[in-house]
Amino acid sequence: MPLDLYIGTQTEDLPTISVGGITGASINVGGLAIRSDRGTSSAKLITDPAQLLTKYGKFKSNFYGHYAIRAFFRNLQGEPGQLWVVRVTASDAVVASGSVNNASANPVWKFWAGQRGEKDSGVWGNQVMHAVFASSAGKSTLAVATANTDTVITVVSVAPFKLYDWVTVSGATTYSAQILAIDEVQNTLTLGTAATGVNAIGQNVTIVDRSVNIYVKDAITGNIDLVETWMNLSLDPAHDRYWINIINDEVTGSDYVFAEQLVTAQVGTFLDLPVTGAGTAAVAVKFTGGNDGSTPTNTDHSNAYKNFDLAPINYLSNAEVFSESNWDDGELYCSTRKDCVWIGTP
């Protein structure tokens, strides 16, 4: 090619050199160990200071965690943030509780102070109260008269019923049975207990279940507030309204109680249903036995850090303890994880 065609600026491709940038850890995802009136031992995600009172109780002047959490969100100046919080408790702390008997005076249901499927220790639980009352998710009527020993009954509509509901069939004789099958075409219910007599067309077939009101008594004012109502609970684990699954659900469950089914001689029968009251504060059963225990030790604080294992934190600190021993424990935990930094005061 003639040299006179190379006119103007000439260029040459050179190798590209890339410099990797270093992205700093996000300062708005932290972990904080605190002491508080209430709260479970697992790490709880706080995205707004307004969640504090429900999960960890009221501010107390001798605990610093609530103030540290509020400061964390204020320092974000409107930016979104996540704070994973673990409550530190003494090993001898006790959870308050209250039980419910059946008609045979055997305890069948037990409520513990708790939240979202976990027990929650401390004196605060002694202010929780429960009241169990009778309820019904619905009813229909007999479309065909029943004869003695019938286990399949025909009703006007099966729409109100669910598999494993307990029902009473009322008429010349009244008996209780559990629904084992539903035929929506024939409008029939297959019952686990046979009819004990003859009942005429039009007699009621009524679902029998239980509902629970949860109250909290203010330790200062003495006021008793209704905080939760759990309607139409079943005692059968296969039922979609099984009372334990409803109350202990980790997302939609109770913020005040943990539920436990107790074993009795009538397991799996209608007799397991708790006796009922009026469902009011006047007859509510107050929990007892809750205790904060002694002051948490260095070991209690160190053990609490393990509850952050599944929390995606960048920083970890303790709002309550300022010692060289705690500093060492925190640094060791973070260095073992290798994905968070300890912030503390020796």
Side-chain angles (χ1 to χ4, degrees):
M1 180 177 293
L3 292 178
D4 57 8
L5 293 181
Y6 290 96
I7 301 173
T9 302
Q10 306 300 309
T11 62
E12 179 182 358
D13 290 334
L14 297 175
T16 300
I17 300 175
S18 60
V19 178
I22 299 176
T23 303
S26 174
I27 63 170
N28 62 346
V29 182
L32 186 66
I34 70 169
R35 293 194 64 198
S36 58
D37 268 348
R38 64 166 304 191
T40 62
S41 60
S42 63
K44 292 289 189 298
L45 177 61
I46 299 291
T47 57
D48 189 309
Q51 299 168 331
L52 274 176
L53 298 184
T54 298
K55 294 184 177 181
Y56 295 102
K58 298 179 180 179
F59 282 73
K60 293 192 70 173
S61 59
N62 55 330
F63 294 155
Y64 302 106
H66 281 53
Y67 302 96
I69 293 170
R70 187 171 60 180
F72 172 85
F73 286 100
R74 284 182 175 176
N75 287 336
L76 291 175
Q77 298 183 349
E79 293 296 318
Q82 296 182 357
L83 189 61
W84 293 85
V85 179
V86 165
R87 178 195 181 197
V88 181
T89 58
S91 58
D92 58 350
V94 182
V95 182
S97 64
S99 60
V100 188
N101 291 345
N102 63 7
S104 301
N106 294 315
V108 286
W109 284 10
K110 188 166 186 176
F111 293 97
W112 301 83
Q115 57 176 302
R116 305 299 171 93
E118 296 180 82
K119 295 178 182 179
D120 190 341
S121 64
V123 171
W124 81 273
N126 296 332
Q127 304 305 313
V128 181
M129 309 166 73
H130 72 262
V132 179
F133 57 99
S135 55
S136 175
K139 65 180 180 180
S140 185
T141 56
L142 289 175
V144 177
T146 62
N148 192 28
T149 73
D150 279 352
T151 56
V152 178
I153 62 174
T154 304
V155 294
V156 171
S157 173
V158 297
F161 303 101
K162 294 181 178 180
L163 200 60
Y164 307 118
D165 275 337
W166 282 92
V167 297
T168 57
V169 182
S170 303
T173 61
T174 298
Y175 67 98
S176 305
Q178 189 175 30
I179 298 174
L180 302 183
I182 300 175
D183 189 326
E184 297 181 357
V185 176
Q186 301 297 324
N187 275 333
T188 61
L189 305 174
T190 300
L191 305 180
T193 303
T196 57
V198 178
N199 287 321
I201 294 173
Q203 301 294 349
N204 286 331
V205 180
T206 306
I207 297 171
V208 179
D209 50 40
R210 294 291 184 261
S211 295
V212 180
N213 281 337
I214 302 298
Y215 299 88
V216 174
K217 182 176 182 179
D218 191 296
I220 298 175
T221 66
N223 293 334
I224 299 176
D225 298 317
L226 174 63
V227 292
E228 292 177 344
T229 297
W230 300 96
M231 294 295 297
N232 305 126
L233 303 174
S234 170
L235 69 139
D236 195 302
H239 197 285
D240 67 357
R241 293 288 300 173
Y242 181 45
W243 78 290
I244 286 181
N245 291 347
I246 297 296
I247 292 178
N248 289 352
D249 189 278
E250 64 180 10
V251 177
T252 60
S254 173
D255 286 320
Y256 298 92
V257 299
F258 173 88
E260 180 185 3
Q261 179 77 48
L262 300 179
V263 176
T264 72
Q266 293 86 29
V267 168
T269 75
F270 187 75
L271 295 176
D272 277 339
L273 282 170
V275 293
T276 60
T280 64
V283 298
V285 177
K286 193 169 181 287
F287 290 13
T288 60
N291 195 300
D292 292 330
S294 54
T295 301
T297 64
N298 283 334
T299 299
D300 292 327
H301 284 273
S302 178
N303 288 337
Y305 299 148
K306 300 172 185 176
N307 294 320
F308 288 103
D309 284 353
L310 299 180
I313 58 175
N314 299 126
Y315 296 90
L316 176 62
S317 187
N318 190 316
E320 313 291 349
V321 180
F322 311 97
S323 66
E324 184 175 352
S325 174
N326 180 62
W327 177 287
D328 292 341
D329 291 339
E331 278 196 328
L332 176 62
Y333 175 78
C334 289
S335 65
T336 302
R337 275 185 61 137
K338 297 182 172 61
D339 63 351
C340 67
V341 176
W342 170 254
I343 300 177
T345 303

